[in-house]
Amino acid sequence: MRVLVTGGAGYIGSHTLVELLGQGHEACVVDSYDNGSPIALDRVRGLTNGHLEAHEADIRDTARLTAIATAFAPDAVIHFAGLKAVGESVARPVDYYDVNVTGTLSLMRAMAAAGCGRIIFSSSATVYGEPEYLPYDEAHPLRPTSVYGQTKRMAEQILTDWAAADPAATVMLLRYFNPVGAHASGRIGEDPHDIPNNLMPYLAQVATGQRDRLVIHGDDYDTPDGTGVRDYIHVVDLARAHVAALDRAAGVTGAEVYNIGTGRGTSVREMVAAFSRAVGRALPVTVGPRRPGDIAAMEADCSLARQMLGWQAQYGIDDMARSLWVWQSANPEGYRGAAGESRASQTPSSEIRPKP
Ligand code: UFG
């Protein structure tokens, strides 16, 4: 299929491109490079064969998006582009609603103009909010506790309403749990631009000496070792879930929602132990207070994805830890450390700008 990938130069987008191209799909990336890198796309090209084109564009620029989509004529869209920091979303609500909700509407208009009615949407387990029961299944009530979570819930609702209004449309909402790790080659991985908020990228920077120590945000939760429990999923497994959803989207209509995790919870201390094994030494860790807004534990019920998409996660936490270390040790500065590499990835803007 011809797949338009928004946010394809980001962490999950770049890993998904490798799997898509590996399965013979063709891809056109639209990315603002706010939180992604054209170098990631060059490296995806180095790992794969096949058609990959890229355009620098903001998801809210409907005219430009329409020109790109009309020229590429996609069979489907995978929509990753968006802002994703929970804490920042509470401080910058207008930006988060604008990029994540207005941006999704902008994309839908471009899709309509290009005659494309199939979309796979990058959603998040954060739409569930405080668990009423665990593991979360897809029928769990949606009560997100952050602005970020609200934007994902709203975009899900908009896409669901759109599918209801068009009998030919297909929407796949993928609710990710906690993606970690990197491609086995160590060529692509997560590259946070600021101080990492998330556990594993932070820990990776502790291992390279860029951060002094990891602070565990509370060890007095009602969990087996007192630290927070999450359902960590290898980013390559997550990437493959998109390919499985794309295959299914080709044969069905309507809106479907899937949890994408492993179904296994792992504590902060267990993740630290796994990463220390991968690095080969103990890493400095202290315990601090709880982080406001954190919940004690979450795990996914992934049986629906297994049943309907024929997909399930293959990798465990040691694979996640090892692959993260391969990436981080080879790229301690992320893609900034590779600034001299070719940046020939973009199609010149003039080729796809609409005529005035
Ligand atoms: N943690 C620490 N120290 C740190 C960072 C995190 O102890 O420096 C702990 C947290 O308290 C939590 C666990 O590690 O118990 C995981 O925290 P992350 O920040 O890595 O991930 P979250 O589960 O908080 O959030 C992630 C994404 C969200 C997404 C959510 C969905 O960041 O975007 O998963 O479940 F919404």
Side-chain angles (χ1 to χ4, degrees), residues 63-332:
R64 189 154 153 65
L65 220 53
T66 299
I68 294 166
T70 308
F72 182 68
D75 302 303
V77 170
I78 305 183
H79 180 29
F80 294 106
L83 301 176
K84 62 166 190 175
V86 175
E88 184 186 62
S89 74
V90 179
R92 292 174 50 200
V94 175
D95 290 336
Y96 272 70
Y97 285 113
D98 193 28
V99 175
N100 293 3
V101 180
T102 313
T104 299
L105 289 166
S106 168
L107 175 63
M108 291 164 75
R109 292 195 192 286
M111 287 173 66
C116 178
R118 238 179 238 144
I119 185 166
I120 292 161
F121 178 60
S122 167
S123 190
S124 167
T126 200
V127 296
Y128 294 121
E130 192 69 39
E132 286 187 7
Y133 55 85
L134 286 172
Y136 294 115
D137 57 26
E138 289 83 354
H140 187 284
L142 305 183
R143 293 199 194 91
T145 54
S146 69
V147 170
Y148 167 67
Q150 290 290 2
T151 67
K152 289 291 180 190
R153 193 187 63 81
M154 285 182 189
E156 282 196 359
Q157 186 66 53
I158 290 165
L159 289 164
T160 304
D161 292 343
W162 178 72
D166 179 354
T170 309
V171 170
M172 298 272 156
L173 306 173
L174 303 187
R175 293 181 181 150
Y176 312 158
F177 282 69
N178 289 59
V180 298
H183 189 264
S185 65
R187 295 291 289 160
I188 56 173
E190 188 167 11
D191 178 23
H193 287 184
D194 297 313
I195 300 172
N197 295 309
N198 297 118
L199 175 65
M200 295 311 282
Y202 197 99
L203 196 53
Q205 293 191 3
V206 172
T208 52
Q210 291 153 284
R211 310 270 161 216
D212 286 347
R213 65 176 67 81
L214 175 81
V215 178
I216 296 181
H217 297 321
D219 67 352
D220 57 351
Y221 285 106
D222 184 16
T223 59
D225 67 16
T227 65
V229 168
R230 296 290 182 273
D231 187 333
Y232 295 94
I233 174 166
H234 196 300
V235 67
V236 171
D237 276 328
L238 176 57
R240 290 175 183 161
H242 293 79
V243 181
L246 192 65
D247 289 345
R248 178 164 170 82
V252 297
T253 56
E256 299 184 353
V257 52
Y258 296 104
N259 282 341
I260 306 295
T262 63
R264 285 183 298 277
T266 304
S267 74
V268 177
R269 284 204 188 279
E270 288 170 324
M271 287 307 275
V272 171
F275 195 61
S276 300
R277 283 195 294 278
V279 175
R281 63 191 152 85
L283 297 168
V285 167
T286 54
V287 177
R290 292 182 180 192
R291 185 169 64 178
D294 268 0
I295 61 172
M298 61 157 76
E299 283 152 26
D301 177 340
C302 301
S303 47
L304 195 64
R306 192 166 58 241
Q307 210 182 313
M308 306 303 285
L309 302 179
W311 169 90
Q312 64 182 332
Q314 305 293 320
Y315 296 114
I317 56 167
D318 284 308
D319 303 305
M320 301 176 208
R322 272 193 299 268
S323 64
L324 171 58
W325 184 232
V326 171
W327 154 255
Q328 187 72 25
S329 51
N331 303 272

